[in-house]
Every structure is written in C-alpha cells, then in structure tokens.
C-alpha cells in the first residue's frame, strides 16, 4: 500500500513530518527531555544534595557505575524490587477487570429510552438521597436502605439512559483526587473500619463451618488447591506442547510461556520455606528441562513457523494463569492453618498493618480503581470499533460466546490491550510512591516499599540524587525491556 | 442522530440482543461496589470528627454544617477554579499538540519516524521523581515557580497523548486520506478536514484522561506553589491535615464537593464520547 | 477488512464544526477564566518588608507573630511584617524550594530536617549574629545545644525546650484500682505494674484492649544501660551491642506477650486518623492508654479537651536515668531576602515578650530557663489539675535531659527508618532480637562507609575521629580519664561526666 506522504523527496517528507511534530516536540524537549538528560548524567555522578547545590559548590565527581553497583549491594534493594514486581501481579487482574466491565457495558448499550436520561437520573439521585438524609439518625438499617435506593435508582436510570449511567458509575473511582482516594482507603482498611465490619459476620460463619469439619479443611484446602494448581500447570504444559507440535507456537512463545509458569512455582517454593536460591533456581531448571523436552520434539506439521508465532495468545493466557496459580499457592501454603485459626475465631485481616496482608490490600485497592478506569474507556472504544460483520459471520457458524470472544473480540482488541499493557507496565513499575507516602510509609517492615518510594526516600530524605537517579534508571531499563517485549508482541498481534 | 445511520447502529445493537435481566443485576451489583466507598465518603462528611473513626457508616445526626465549615477553612471555590483552569489549559494544549504529533507519527512517512517515536515513548518510562529536581531548577531559571504557567507547561506536552492518538489514527483507513490527497488536499487539510474529525473518539478520550489526571495532580503543584490563592484543589485539601490530626469529616466534605464538577464534566463529555464511538467506528 | 463501511464523517456536514467549535469555545472560556483568576490573586505590595515563617497556623503562632511585632516596636527596630506560612511545611517541598533559592525566610525544622537542611548549606550560619544579639547557646538550656549546633556552628535557636516524659491519667489508674507509678522506676517495676494494670483493665472478653502506655522510648532505655546509638566519636553505630538485644527483647515481650504497648498493627487499628498523633491524645483522655510518652506540649492539646487529673513521671528504665531532650529549632533560610530581619526573629526568641507567652500557653518550656520559674508557669491559676507537672518538666530538662545522638556520617532519617523497620520486623516475629540488633549495626555501619567513601571532607573528619576513638578506648581500658573535648556524642559526654571518667574540666 502506498502510504500517504510517500510522495515528495525524503527531505520534503522530513520537513512536513517535523513541522507537525514541532509544537509538541518543543514543549516536550524543554520540559521533559532536558530534565531527563540531566538525570541521566546525575546517575553517573556522586551528586548529593548535601554537598552539591546553590549553597555549596563542591566539585561533582564522575563515579562511573559505582552508584549502580552500590544499588545491588543495598540489603533491601532486591526486596523492594521484589515488592514492585509482586504488586505488578495485580496488572493482569486489573486488565481483565476493565475488559470485563467494558464487555458488560457494551452489552447493555442500547438506545436510550429518553434523551434526558442523565438529567432524570440526577434528579432521582438527588431527591432519593435528599429523602434519605432527611431521615437522619438511622443506624445500620439506614445504610442498607441507602444502598437499596441507589440500586433502584441506577437500575431505572440504566434503562432510561441506555446504560451510560453505569459507565459513569464505573468511572467513579477516577473522580476523587489521588490523595483523597488513599485517605479513603486507609479508612476503609482500618482494622475496625467498614470493610472489616462487613467481613466480620462472613468470617464468623466461615469459621464455624471450618470448626465443624476441621480435618477436612486441614488437608482438604491445601490438597484441593494443590491439585487444581498442578492440573492447571500440566494443562498449560500440555497446551504448549500441543501448540509446538501444531506449529502454532514458536520457540520464543514456548519459552516465555514456561517462564511465566515458573513464577508461581518459585513463589510456592519460597513460601514453603526453601531458600531463595532453590526457589529461583529450581523452577528455572525445570523451565530449561521443559524447554528442551518440548523443543526437541519433531514437528508434526512441518517446520514453517515464526520464532515468536503465537506469542500474543501465550502471554495473554499466561498472564491470566500466573495470578491464579499464585492464589492457589497461597491456599497450599496457608490453607492447613485454617482449622487452628478458626478454633479461636477467624479474625478479619489487619489490612495495611500486617506484613502479609499489606500487599494484597494494595492490590485490591488497585483492582477497584482499575475496573472502571481509563482502561475501561479504551476498551469501550476498542469494542465499538469491532466490525459487526465478524460477529454475524461467527453467529452463522454457530460459535459459542467463548469462541466468539476468543476468536474475534480478543484478537480485535489486541491494539488496545497492547496500549494498556505498555502503559500498565510503565505506570505499574513506577507506581506506589504516592500510595506509600500517604498510606503506609512503605511499611510494615518495608513490605510496601516499592522502587519508586525507595527513589523518593533516597532522593529527598537522604539527598543522594546520584544514587536515586541510578535506581530510577535501573527501573527505566526494566520498563524498557518489558515494553520492548510488549512492542514485539503488540505489533505482531496488531498486524496478525 | 444515530437513527439516521442504521449501519452504525448495528455496531452495538447486535450485542444488546443478549442483554437480559441478569445483566442489569450484575451491572447494578458492580455499580454498588464502585459507589460504596463514595457512599461512605459522603456519609462521613456529615459526621463529627470523633464519629469519623467509628466503624459505623451512618452519622449519629447529619451535620450539614460541615459543608459551610469547609468554606470557612479553605477558599474552596478559588481552589476549584484554579484546578479547573489549570487542568483545562493542560487538556487543550495536550489534545491539540498531541493530535498534530500523532498525525505525523501515524500518517506521514518520514525518515527516522519510528525511532523518534520510540524515543518519545521511552521518556515515559523514567519515574517522574528523578526529574523533579532538574525540572524544578528549570522552572526557577524560567521564573515560573509559583505561577500557573509553571503548572500548565510541564504537564502539557507529554508523550502519553501522542501515543494514544497515534494508536487511534493508525486505525483509520488509509484510503480516506489517499483519496483526499488525490483531490489535491494539502497535508494540513488532510489533518484538519479528514483525520481530525475521524479521530473524535480518540480526542475526547484523551481530553477526559488528561483533564481528570491533571485535576487531581498533587505532587508537582505541591512543590511548585507558594501562594495560597494559586493552589489547586488537591493541594488545598492539605489544610485539613493539621498538627492535631486530620479533620477527616471536613476533608470528606471537601472531597465530596470536588467530585461534583468532575462528574458533571464527565457526563457532558461522555455524550460526545458515545457519539464519537458510534460514528468513528471505522477500522482498517 | 472493514473498508466497506467507510467514512461516516463527511456524510455528517455539521459534525465537523462541532468538534472544532467546542474546542475554540473552551479555549475562549479558559482564557477568560485565567484572566479573571490572574487578576484576582491578591497583591502583596506593602510598604514594609514581609518575611515568611514556615510553621503551623494556630492561635499560639498568631499570638507569637503579634508579640514579635510588639517587640520590634518596643525595641525601636525597623518594622517588618511577619506572616505565617503554613502551606509550605511539607519536607520535600521545603527542601526542593530551599535548594532552588526560593525558600521561606524562617523555617521550623523537625526531625530529620534539623540534620539534613543545615548540611545542605541552605540554613544560615548565625554563630556571629548569635554572639552579637545574645541568642547564643548560653541563653538556653546547655543540654539543648547539640540540637542546633553542628560542628561548632550555630544554625538556629529553639522556640521551646523540653523533655518527653510519661504523662499519667490519674483517673484511669484510679478506675482500675492500680497504684500510680513512682517518679523514678525500673523496667521490672514497669513490667510488674503494667501487667497488673493490663490484667485489671482487660477482663476476659474485652473487645477493645486497653494499654499501659503508647510506647517506650527505646533510645532512652538503651542509654540507661550505657549504650548510645553511636560510639563516643559517632564513627560507629553500636546498635549491634548485646545491651540493645536486651532492650529489643523487652520491647518484644511487652508488646507481644504482655500487651503493655500496642504493636504497629494494633496501633494502626487504633489510629483514628492518617497522621497519627491526634489519636494518641483521644485514647489517653478516653482511658485506652493509661500513660502517654510525650513532651509538655501535650497540654496545648489536652487543655481544650477537658480537665484531666495529670501527673508526669520519668519513663521507666534501668541504670543511668536519662530523658529525651529536644527543642523546636527555628532557622533562617540562607537566601532570605530579609536576612537581618529574619535573624532578629531568633533574637526575639530570647525576649520576655516571647518567653512569657510560651510559659502561658505551655508549648514546652520557654527557651530561656529563667522564665520557667514563674508562678504562672509552675501553677497556672486556670489549670490546677496539672499543677506539679510543669516543675517536673523543668527539673528533668535541667538534670536528666540529653538530646538525641547524631552522627555527621549518618542522616537521622536513615537511623530512624532502619531502627524502626527492624524493630517492627522483630516484634512481628520475623527476626530474633539478636538478628535485628546485628542488622541495625550492619546497615548503619555500611551507611557510614558509603558516606565517607563519597565525601573526602567527611573521610578526613572520620579518620581524625577514629584516631581519637582509639585513644579513648585505650584510656578507658587503662582506667584513665578522657578529655571532654574528645567526645562528640551528647549521651556519652553526660554518661562519662556522671561516672567521673572525664579529665578535670576547666570551669568556664
């Protein structure tokens, strides 16, 4: 296809290309590029705000890679890096959540019954809440009543506006200012706060169930989790082999699929008390063996297959599997302790105050914010761009909803998923700074200290800018590599 | 308006056939889940300070006085206006310049284009924290500390918008601009008359994202601003954090109020968004 | 594939302008709004210079400002206008703005700032001015000096002084029929009384646990055993000492087994708010803490909340009794446009105008000791319920108060973080006390190494001090006295003096 602008000399094309870029790139260069280059330089110096600033002009020393080597000698750097990656496990959930929300919203978007639906909704909402508030002084009943009315109002409004109300409601988490969200969630997570108040009866009920059959739970839960996890792992291995045999997956996809599978296995081993070396080395060894075993197999359907064919589907599937397997590993590790805990009554978790719960608490908060996030809007836009002819054709073939999703919706959304994935990795790895500053101060015992919070502390509390910059550039390198991978898979699947 | 274009209605209509009562139930349940924290927030805004740490959701009595109290402690409207104007300018600049740049990256072919683009993208991958001090020093040199300009300019030229719109524009069929070019349209005309209208959902989406993001930005304005009257809202909310603890009930009242203009703007823009999605449903 | 369904846009003739029109309209509206906002920012033109003081905005600070203006007039000094700037208190903000040359004229420095900020050079060295205007260290409590003197140079002056003690809510003790603690007590006494109290206050089935105290001062307990955070010359962190293990083990037991003090998790559960301190006082007044460990400034918060029967006693410790002395240091920004006027503010802190004000509002002890001897300070007529406490605070500040240990080779913020994080880890059972103590020492000593490796000037200082340390160790081993000038750490100095290990000091 001869693209636009293919006419004219390269020079002319360059001029017009740059001309359009100019307004953006000028501002960009001034306010992004210049500081960026400066920070790159800083990473290789011993810049310490204590000694190098407008008040004290000591000579800045070029220290080469010293900052970087110090980083890896820092006793907690790897811990914080691990925290950052652990929190990233929430990303697939978040993407799945926003995709799910978008799918649901697309299904209801029929024609609005009334054009002024939004106004009707607003009026209803206001009168509803006004009425409720007039009846002040009520206790718990009042809360249920409020939720009842809200449910009714959103249902009515949903019908009236053709579902766009839900879109607004889902998008609500984006309306509070960032810091306010953290304050809000800190309150919600208070051990005697609203979440635990709601959770209390549920846990009590569950505890009595556990107490009634303690043996069943002490081995049943870990066993069930273990069996499911093993089955899923084996299934994925079998699938990989199958795809290799069918030449629908290249070596790159097979290896990366295996690598992702190794993550939960390694975590499981780590939680079972094995040393870090075994927990990392063991699964890696298995990956190696598995890769050899699979890749050695002769191909049934001939050799023609790109090295990274099928990577997109592989990564998508593995991303879904990894968090699930991680959850199951949690079940295997801690499930057997259930009866002992239930004997004294299951306490609601002390979310942000507990070393083990702090990270999941933050991931849940992230999930809540992600379901109705910008990603949902992007998916909505993406979904509406899928040509209906594709679905019609599939319907004629009698495809099941799952098949429709897997063969039409998911591949068609690849560019959107690609964008969301890249941005998710970028912001996910950089994130956690504001959250840590406001909610946890990186604690308890450093369990929520992410790299970005570490950078903040090094840069602004200890003043070692060179060191902080080096940490930031390590983070950059990680994001860059992940994005590059993402790009390969994204561009490929976008062009599939 | 949509009914005049039956072909484009199909886009969503085919899926709506499947919606049943269970779908509404799921949606309502999810909506409640999303609203719940806000309900808690709104209810807390009517509590007394000591009640605000109770597990009980309901206030003992609704203290409407918390809201006037907010206005006594902070110039709320002033802060909100500051936020609106700052976020508004960032949005306008961001959308316009990003559209131009995205057009260049997505529709024009020039040597080195993709490399420049990836460089652009790479700049997003560095945590903003490390560039804070260099950027701040730049602001000092340019005499922009404690000015509105110092909040608008650094936020207005990010790579995010360019990336988003580029992805959008890549989806618009080539045949359109080729046809226009054959008709003798200039590059600018193609951009202005063909691509821009077709990118509408992308533009609206970007506008929403940028506005929401900047309305809430906290750290940079916190460091940059010194004069109280120029504070945007999120920074202004710091006034509820005092030496003697946090006035949670008032903070929640202020946040509740700050959400309202955003919801209104979103509902207004969302109409555009829906229309945009329905009309812009073209993909190559 | 979808090229069949092309271009809806051209078919929609009025679609095109809408987009652009709305864009143009928003630009116009924004311009209008910006212009309005811009012109309505209140101008700050006044005839007399304005200086800004970064501190909290409350009635006491406003009274201070009024007193400063009055003092300037009474002293016939050129008038300036002092304004409270409570919006720039965030530490990062202070640092970034300060380093870029746009800081506020006068700053309160808290916690690690008192350490970091002067080190950057952004705080004005006021040593000479202090001599000239009479606010040198001699004007205040001698024990306070290490708080604002760094390497012999003065970087500020305290706006109050004081030690932290255990405040006792007498009603809570009476309620559970548990005797009140004595003025001076040991850790074993603390443990016995605490267990008795907790048992009485938490009968089986209690939902909300009641605690003996909100925290125990670990640094002071260690000092009681003769162990400071650093050695005499502050060249080595000594937290890996067995005595620290002993203290950490106690803290763990008191937290996890005896529930005398809340763990981090429990504390988190009790926190009514995100910023922490506020809830401590509500729990104290409501009786969930029998005691709280805090300075005299607690009165500012307690007074408006009601009339409580109060006492103040020393924190329980073994060995060498000491208390944590501190002063809210006020410093002047080096690039202040009104340097002279700002320095005058430090002089004002020694004036009767200011000291009498502090004595009245009980924001700690007045920085000049003699103002703590007035009847109004010791027995305020309006608050008979707190009589006796002020005298204890004044007495402890004179006798047992020692400022915190600071090493030029480690920033306080790092020490705090490492010590706190590892203590939490130990209390939660992830580490033994011995492991935690060792890790504290290892990390902080690695930090010292890192710092001196990068800073040649510090390296020089370090080498000098290490040489002195060797001499100190040799003399101590031989049982010989040591010159006071060799010792940099305020605790060691006091400890040596109390034990007669110092060479005869020449009386000044």
């Amino acid at each position: 296809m001869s693209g636009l602008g293919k006419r004219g000399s390269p020079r002319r094309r360059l001029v017009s290309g740059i001309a359009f870029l100019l307004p953006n790139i000028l501002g960009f260069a001034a306010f992004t590029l210049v500081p960026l280059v400066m920070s790159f330089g800083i990473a290789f110096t011993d810049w310490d705000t204590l000694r190098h600033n407008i008040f004290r002009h000591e000579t800045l020393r070029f220290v080469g890679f010293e900052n970087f080597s110090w980083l890896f000698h820092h006793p907690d750097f790897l811990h914080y890096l691990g925290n950052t990656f652990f929190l990233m496990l929430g990303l697939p959930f978040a993407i799945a959540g926003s995709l799910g929300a978008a799918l649901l919203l697309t299904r209801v978007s029929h024609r609005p019954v009334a054009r002024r639906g939004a106004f009707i909704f607003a009026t209803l909402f206001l009168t509803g809440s006004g009425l409720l508030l007039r009846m002040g002084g009520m206790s718990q009943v009042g809360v249920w009543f409020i939720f009842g009315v809200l449910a009714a109002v959103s249902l009515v409004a949903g019908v009236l506006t053709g579902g766009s109300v839900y879109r607004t409601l889902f998008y609500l988490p984006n309306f509070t200012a960032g810091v306010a969200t953290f304050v809000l969630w800190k309150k919600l997570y208070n051990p005697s706060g609203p979440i635990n108040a709601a959770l209390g009866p549920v846990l009590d009920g569950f505890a009595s169930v556990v107490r009634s059959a303690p043996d069943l739970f002490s081995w049943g839960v870990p066993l069930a989790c273990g069996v499911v996890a093993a089955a899923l792992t084996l299934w994925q291995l079998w699938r990989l082999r199958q795809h290799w045999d069918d030449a629908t997956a290249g070596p790159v996809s097979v290896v990366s699929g295996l690598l992702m599978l190794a993550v939960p296995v390694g975590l499981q081993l780590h939680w079972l008390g094995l040393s870090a070396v075994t927990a990392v080395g063991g699964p890696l060894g298995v990956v190696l063996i598995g890769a050899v075993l699979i890749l050695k197999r002769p191909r049934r359907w001939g050799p023609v297959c790109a090295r990274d064919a099928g990577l997109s589907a592989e990564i998508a599937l593995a991303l879904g599997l990894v968090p699930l397997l991680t959850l199951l590993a949690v079940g295997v590790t801690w499930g057997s302790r259930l009866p002992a805990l239930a004997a004294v009554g299951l306490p609601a978790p002390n979310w942000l105050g507990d070393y083990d719960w702090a990270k999941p608490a933050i991931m849940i908060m992230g999930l809540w914010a992600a379901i109705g996030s910008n990603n949902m809007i992007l998916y909505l836009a993406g979904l509406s761009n899928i040509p209906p002819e594709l679905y019609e054709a599939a319907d004629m073939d009698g495809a099941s909803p799952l098949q429709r999703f897997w063969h039409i919706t998911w591949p068609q959304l690849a560019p959107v998923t690609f964008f969301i994935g890249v941005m998710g990795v970028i912001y996910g790895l950089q994130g956690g700074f504001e959250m840590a500053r406001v909610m946890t101060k990186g604690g308890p015992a450093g369990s929520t200290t992410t790299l970005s919070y570490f950078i903040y502390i090094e840069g602004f509390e200890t003043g070692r800018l060179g060191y902080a910059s080096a940490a930031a550039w390590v983070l950059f390198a990680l994001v860059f590599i992940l994005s590059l991978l993402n790009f390969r898979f994204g561009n490929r699947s976008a062009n599939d | 308006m949509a009914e005049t274009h039956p072909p484009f209605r199909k886009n969503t209509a085919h899926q709506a056939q499947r919606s049943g009562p269970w779908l509404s139930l799921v949606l309502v349940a999810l909506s409640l889940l999303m609203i719940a924290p806000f309900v808690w927030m709104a209810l807390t805004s009517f509590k007394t300070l000591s009640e605000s740490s109770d597990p009980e959701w309901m206030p003992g009595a609704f203290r409407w006085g918390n809201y006037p109290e907010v206005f006594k402690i902070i110039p709320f409207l002033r802060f909100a206006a500051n936020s609106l104007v700052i976020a508004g300018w960032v949005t306008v600049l961001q959308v316009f310049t990003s559209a131009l740049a995205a057009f260049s990256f997505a529709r024009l072919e020039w040597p080195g284009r993709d490399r420049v683009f990836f460089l652009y993208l790479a700049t997003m991958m560095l945590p903003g924290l490390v560039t804070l001090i260099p950027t701040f020093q730049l602001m000092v040199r340019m005499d922009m500390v404690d000015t509105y300009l110092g909040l608008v300019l650094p936020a207005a030229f990010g790579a995010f918008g360019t990336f988003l719109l580029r992805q959008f524009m890549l989806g618009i069929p080539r045949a359109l601009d080729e046809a226009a070019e054959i008709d003798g349209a200039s590059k600018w005309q193609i951009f202005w008359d063909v691509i821009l209208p077709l990118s509408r959902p992308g533009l609206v989406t970007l506008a929403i994202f940028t506005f929401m993001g900047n309305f809430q930005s906290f750290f940079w304005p916190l460091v940059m601003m010194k004069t109280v009257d120029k504070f945007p809202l999120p920074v202004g909310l710091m006034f509820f954090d005092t030496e003697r603890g946090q006035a949670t009930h008032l903070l929640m009242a202020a946040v509740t109020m700050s959400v309202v203009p955003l919801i209104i703007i979103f509902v207004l823009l969302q109409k555009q968004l829906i229309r945009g999605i329905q009309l812009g449903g073209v993909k190559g | 594939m979808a090229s069949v369904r092309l271009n809806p846009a051209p078919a929609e003739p009025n679609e095109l302008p809408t987009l652009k029109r709305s864009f143009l309209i928003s630009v116009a509206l924004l311009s209008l709004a910006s212009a309005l906002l811009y012109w309505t920012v209140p101008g700050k033109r006044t005839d007399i210079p304005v200086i800004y003081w970064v501190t909290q905005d409350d009635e006491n600070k406003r009274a201070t400002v009024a007193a400063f203006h009055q003092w300037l007039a009474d002293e016939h000094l050129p008038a300036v206008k002092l304004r409270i700037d409570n919006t720039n208190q965030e530490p990062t903000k202070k640092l970034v703005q300060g380093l870029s040359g746009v800081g506020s004229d006068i700053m309160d420095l808290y916690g690690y700032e008192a350490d970091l900020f002067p080190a950057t050079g952004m705080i004005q060295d006021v040593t000479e001015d202090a001599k000239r205007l009479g606010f040198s260290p001699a004007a205040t409590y001698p024990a306070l000096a290490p708080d604002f003197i760094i390497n012999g140079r003065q970087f500020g002056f305290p706006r109050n002084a004081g030690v932290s003690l255990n405040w006792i809510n007498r009603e809570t003790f009476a309620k559970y029929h548990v005797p009140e603690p004595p003025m001076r007590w040991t850790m074993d006494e603390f443990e016995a009384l605490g267990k008795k109290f907790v048992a009485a206050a938490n009968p089986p089935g209690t939902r909300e646990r009641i605690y003996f105290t909100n925290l125990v001062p670990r640094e002071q307990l260690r000092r009681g055993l003769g162990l400071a955070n650093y050695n005499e010359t502050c060249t080595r962190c000594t937290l890996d000492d067995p005595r620290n293990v002993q203290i950490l083990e106690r803290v763990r037991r008191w937290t996890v087994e005896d529930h005398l003090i809340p763990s981090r998790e429990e504390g988190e559960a009790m926190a009514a708010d995100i910023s922490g301190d506020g809830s401590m006082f509500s729990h104290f007044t409501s009786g969930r803490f029998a005691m709280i460990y805090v300075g005299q400034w607690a009165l500012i918060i307690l007074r408006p909340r009601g009339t409580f029967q109060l006492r103040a006693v020393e924190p329980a410790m073994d060995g060498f009794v000491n208390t944590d002395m501190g002063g809210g240091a006020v410093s002047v920004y080096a690039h202040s446009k009104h340097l002279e006027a700002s320095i005058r503010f430090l002089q004002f802190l020694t004036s009767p105008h200011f000291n009498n004000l502090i004595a009245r509002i009980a924001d700690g002890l007045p920085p000049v000791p003699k103002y703590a001897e007035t009847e109004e300070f010791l027995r305020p007529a309006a608050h008979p319920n707190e009589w006796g406490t002020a005298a204890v605070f004044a007495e402890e500040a004179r006798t047992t108060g020692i400022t915190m240990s600071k090493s030029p080779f480690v920033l306080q913020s790092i020490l705090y973080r490492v010590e706190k994080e590892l203590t939490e880890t130990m209390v939660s059972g992830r580490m033994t006390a011995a492991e935690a103590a060792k890790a504290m020492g290892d990390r902080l000593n690695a930090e010292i190494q890192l710092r001196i490796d990068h800073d040649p000037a510090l390296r020089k200082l370090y080498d000098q001090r290490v040489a002195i340390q060797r001499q100190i160790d040799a003399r101590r081993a031989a049982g010989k006295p040591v010159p006071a000038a060799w010792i940099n750490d305020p605790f060691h100095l006091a400890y040596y003096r109390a034990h007669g290990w110092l060479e005869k000091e020449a009386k000044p």
Side-chain angles (χ1 to χ4, degrees), chain B residues 89 192 200 222-223 279 281, chain C residues 5 8 15 20 34 93 97:
Chain B
W89 274 116
W192 191 248
R200 183 191 183 115
L222 171 76
V223 173
L279 291 169
Chain C
R5 321 181 299 104
E15 198 56 33
K20 288 158 193 168
S34 330
K93 186 174 187 175
Q97 294 190 343

Side-chain angles (χ1 to χ4, degrees), chain B residues 45-243:
Chain B
S45 72
F46 292 107
K47 287 179 168 181
T48 62
L49 176 58
S50 58
E51 278 176 340
S52 70
S53 54
D54 290 348
E56 200 78 19
W57 284 47
M58 277 307 244
F62 281 88
R63 283 164 49 103
W64 288 92
N66 286 350
Y67 283 82
E69 184 78 19
V70 166
F71 289 93
K72 262 188 245 161
I73 296 181
I74 59 169
F76 183 86
L77 290 177
R78 173 97 212 175
F79 289 165
N82 286 339
S83 274
L84 282 174
V85 166
I86 292 164
W89 274 116
V90 173
T91 309
V92 161
L93 285 174
Q94 174 85 274
V95 168
F96 186 66
T97 61
S98 298
L100 285 171
F103 177 70
S104 180
F105 283 130
R107 310 303 278 192
L108 300 178
E109 310 249 345
W110 42 280
R113 182 189 72 168
D114 289 343
R115 250 165 291 159
V116 173
F117 175 70
F118 200 74
L119 193 81
Y120 236 66
L121 203 61
T123 58
M124 278 195 294
M125 300 172 193
L126 192 80
L129 277 171
V130 275
T131 55
L132 186 74
I133 288 192
T135 314
F136 193 83
Q137 251 141 21
L138 199 71
M139 291 290 128
V140 175
R141 297 266 159 77
M142 298 171 87
D143 216 8
M144 282 192 198
V145 174
D146 200 24
T147 61
Y148 290 117
L149 217 53
L151 295 188
V152 172
L153 289 183
F157 304 101
F160 174 83
T162 311
F163 185 23
L164 180 70
L165 289 184
R166 171 189 178 261
Q167 294 302 102
F168 240 96
M169 288 181 184
L170 282 178
I172 299 171
R174 293 266 172 186
L176 285 179
D177 25 350
E178 270 159 22
E181 200 171 26
I182 288 161
D183 291 348
S186 69
K187 296 264 160 48
W188 173 258
Q189 280 169 329
I190 295 171
F191 168 71
W192 191 248
D193 293 330
V194 181
I195 301 295
L196 213 51
L198 284 175
S199 314
R200 183 191 183 115
L203 296 173
V204 178
T205 310
L206 177 63
I208 292 179
F209 291 1
T210 315
F211 190 85
M212 295 295 165
N214 281 281
F215 193 85
Q216 298 162 6
S217 75
F218 171 75
F219 201 65
W220 178 246
L222 171 76
V223 173
M224 274 289 282
M225 302 311 264
K226 288 178 71 77
T227 312
V228 176
D229 287 285
K230 294 181 194 164
F231 279 6
L233 200 49
V235 179
L237 294 181
M238 294 253 296
F239 282 91
F240 295 109
D241 264 317
T242 65
E243 188 185 9

